[in-house]
Amino acid sequence: MNVELKNRKENFGRITVKVGSNVLTNDDGSLNTWRISRIVEDLAILYRNGIEVILVTSGAVAAGRSEITPSRKTSVVESRQILAAVGQVKLMSHYQYLFGKYGIPAGQVLATRESFMDRRHYLNMRNCIMAMLDNKIIPIVNENDTISVNELMFTDNDELSCLITSMMDCSSLIILTNVDGIYTGIPGDDGTELIREVRPDAEGIEQYIFSFRSEFGRGGMLTKYSNARRLASEGVRVFIANGLRDSIITDIVRGKDVPYTHFLPAGKRRNSVKKWIAHSATFARGVVVVNRGAKEALMGPKASSLLLVGVTRIEGSFKKGDIVRIIDEEGNSIGLGKSEYDSDKAIQNIGQKCSKPLVHYHYLVLNENAGVEPVVF
Ligand code: GLU
């Protein structure tokens, strides 16, 4: 056991490491097995030192490309599905073989957006990953690309890694990409510097982010950045670092002076129900418009539930237990909550005094914390 790393266990405890396609693939799109083996080696060191690791990996579609070529009559969506169907098995067998060399069992968890939208699915997934960790199995998570198509897809695996980090109460998320972090300009240009630290109240960082995407993955720096900010505001440390550098993961955990962008965590940590709701902004199925009185009550110093008497309009179709966005009459976002009613039932009772609130305050996350963009109609 490495004493230096053992001491860091207190700080890191359980972490998520996300590896993007641009780290795992060669220029021709095939899997870079040597790079994967270096990453596994790094993770094995953490594992042996008692740090729990959850790996979120891309690369299924890329791995499929070197195995099959979809016929011309296969649609774009189907091509991605079948490349992932073939490639995910290949990707996982690589990981299983490589972790196996260190005597570490690894297992696969495939997630879809639905897995996070439904609280029961969410808890099942959480329990499974928890049981894997308890049994010293490294969970390897990817999107289930065979059934996640179009609007059912995550924005990218950066979003998925944030959801997993939050769901599993990890102390930190390390996002590995093919650059050292966020720069103030084009890397290599005169005067361009790596942004080493992003404080929870930092402003104006977006201006430095260029909107190019990686060739083989879906993500870009902007989604990494916005997901990292949201997670850091929940009290999680986030690092964006270069997965093409050897030992980058252990170097970060050891606290070595290596290049990365570090998003410092805000002090507060939320309970898990509120975290689930806060991360569900993109899953919201309905919009609830509230009057001024209700808005003031919700935003006031006392914890208040949202009552139907304060609701003036309801949009969208949702079921009891779904997440709804709450906005004021000017269209400004107030927050998110879990609805206690189906939308039909709620619409019937708009403006009425019902004993059961539409959103109980235990299941309400106000905008200040929720990281929700203003709603535009
Ligand atoms: N899930 C996709 C894959 O494994 C990658 C998604 C992404 O690049 O973010 O191929």
Side-chain angles (χ1 to χ4, degrees):
M1 180 119 19
N2 179 310
V3 180
E4 194 189 356
L5 273 175
K6 207 169 159 246
N7 294 339
R8 305 291 288 171
K9 192 181 150 190
E10 295 291 298
N11 269 337
F12 280 85
R14 177 184 302 152
I15 68 170
T16 303
V17 175
K18 184 260 169 179
V19 195
S21 300
N22 46 13
V23 175
L24 300 173
T25 48
N26 295 308
D27 292 345
D28 63 359
S30 59
L31 274 188
N32 182 340
T33 46
W34 186 81
R35 178 52 51 201
I36 300 177
S37 67
R38 298 314 306 265
I39 287 167
V40 168
E41 183 186 2
D42 230 12
L43 296 177
I45 295 173
L46 297 187
Y47 175 97
R48 287 203 176 140
N49 284 282
I51 294 172
E52 289 181 331
V53 178
I54 300 167
L55 175 62
V56 175
T57 184
S58 304
V61 175
R65 273 201 196 103
S66 55
E67 294 295 302
I68 51 157
T69 308
S71 74
R72 290 177 59 168
K73 68 177 188 10
T74 316
S75 71
V76 176
V77 170
E78 289 162 350
S79 291
R80 195 177 152 276
Q81 286 176 296
I82 63 170
L83 288 169
V86 174
Q88 178 65 22
V89 183
K90 192 174 167 202
L91 184 67
M92 275 309 295
S93 55
H94 266 300
Y95 277 119
Q96 207 156 39
Y97 167 72
L98 292 168
F99 278 115
K101 291 217 281 191
Y102 299 94
I104 301 173
Q108 168 183 272
V109 178
L110 294 177
T112 63
R113 279 169 70 88
E114 294 280 333
S115 326
F116 290 90
M117 281 155 102
D118 180 285
R119 183 125 177 103
R120 180 124 39 104
H121 283 201
Y122 177 92
L123 291 176
N124 288 348
M125 181 162 57
R126 187 174 200 281
N127 286 346
C128 172
I129 297 180
M130 202 59 99
M132 289 173 93
L133 294 172
D134 288 346
N135 284 278
K136 306 276 178 265
I137 301 164
I138 294 205
I140 304 183
V141 185
N142 194 2
E143 180 167 9
N144 191 345
D145 296 302
T146 57
I147 54 170
S148 292
V149 295
N150 303 330
E151 72 286 350
L152 291 178
M153 282 156 77
F154 295 106
T155 319
D156 48 42
N157 270 6
D158 299 318
E159 182 188 13
L160 173 60
S161 66
C162 282
L163 291 165
I164 293 282
T165 305
S166 178
M167 176 174 82
M168 299 311 299
D169 288 324
C170 295
S171 67
S172 321
L173 166 66
I174 300 176
I175 299 178
L176 295 181
T177 181
N178 57 354
V179 289
D180 288 332
I182 301 175
Y183 282 88
T184 56
I186 309 266
D189 279 7
D190 268 2
T192 294
E193 279 174 20
L194 179 68
I195 300 175
R196 300 289 317 221
E197 248 179 36
V198 178
R199 298 190 164 275
D201 56 356
E203 281 174 21
I205 310 278
E206 292 88 341
Q207 61 171 313
Y208 298 123
I209 299 170
F210 306 98
S211 58
F212 55 78
R213 280 160 182 263
S214 67
E215 199 180 343
F216 298 110
R218 290 210 301 278
M221 196 51 92
L222 206 53
T223 64
K224 285 180 186 40
Y225 169 78
S226 52
N227 281 303
R229 282 303 289 262
R230 176 138 44 117
L231 207 52
S233 75
E234 279 179 20
V236 177
R237 258 171 310 195
V238 185
F239 300 85
I240 298 179
N242 193 338
L244 300 175
R245 284 181 186 273
D246 290 346
S247 321
I248 186 74
I249 308 167
T250 44
D251 284 349
I252 291 174
V253 174
R254 282 191 169 104
K256 280 201 179 168
D257 185 21
V258 285
Y260 50 69
T261 299
H262 180 191
F263 294 76
L264 300 182
K268 54 182 180 257
R269 293 197 81 156
R270 289 205 193 105
N271 72 37
S272 56
V273 172
K274 296 228 177 191
K275 276 203 288 192
W276 172 63
I277 294 170
H279 277 277
S280 300
T282 55
F283 309 142
R285 300 206 195 242
V287 178
V288 174
V289 185
V290 301
N291 63 25
R292 181 157 352 150
K295 180 179 175 182
E296 279 167 9
L298 292 177
M299 310 283 280
K302 213 170 122 249
S304 303
S305 299
L306 171 58
L307 304 173
L308 277 159
V309 67
V311 174
T312 56
R313 205 167 81 231
I314 289 179
E315 313 234 326
S317 165
F318 51 87
K319 293 249 168 298
K320 180 175 178 218
D322 283 345
I323 303 296
V324 291
R325 283 178 185 268
I326 303 161
I327 65 170
D328 67 15
E329 286 175 316
E330 283 77 49
N332 300 310
S333 179
I334 295 175
L336 294 165
K338 183 163 88 96
S339 174
E340 295 295 327
Y341 290 76
D342 291 350
S343 49
D344 293 353
K345 194 81 197 281
I347 288 169
Q348 275 169 24
N349 290 297
I350 277 182
Q352 292 181 32
K353 285 192 180 146
C354 301
S355 53
K356 190 169 72 166
L358 178 61
V359 176
H360 188 276
Y361 65 78
H362 279 153
Y363 298 98
L364 176 72
V365 176
L366 295 175
N367 199 35
E368 181 217 341
N369 303 320
V372 189
E373 288 98 47
V375 176
V376 183
F377 282 108

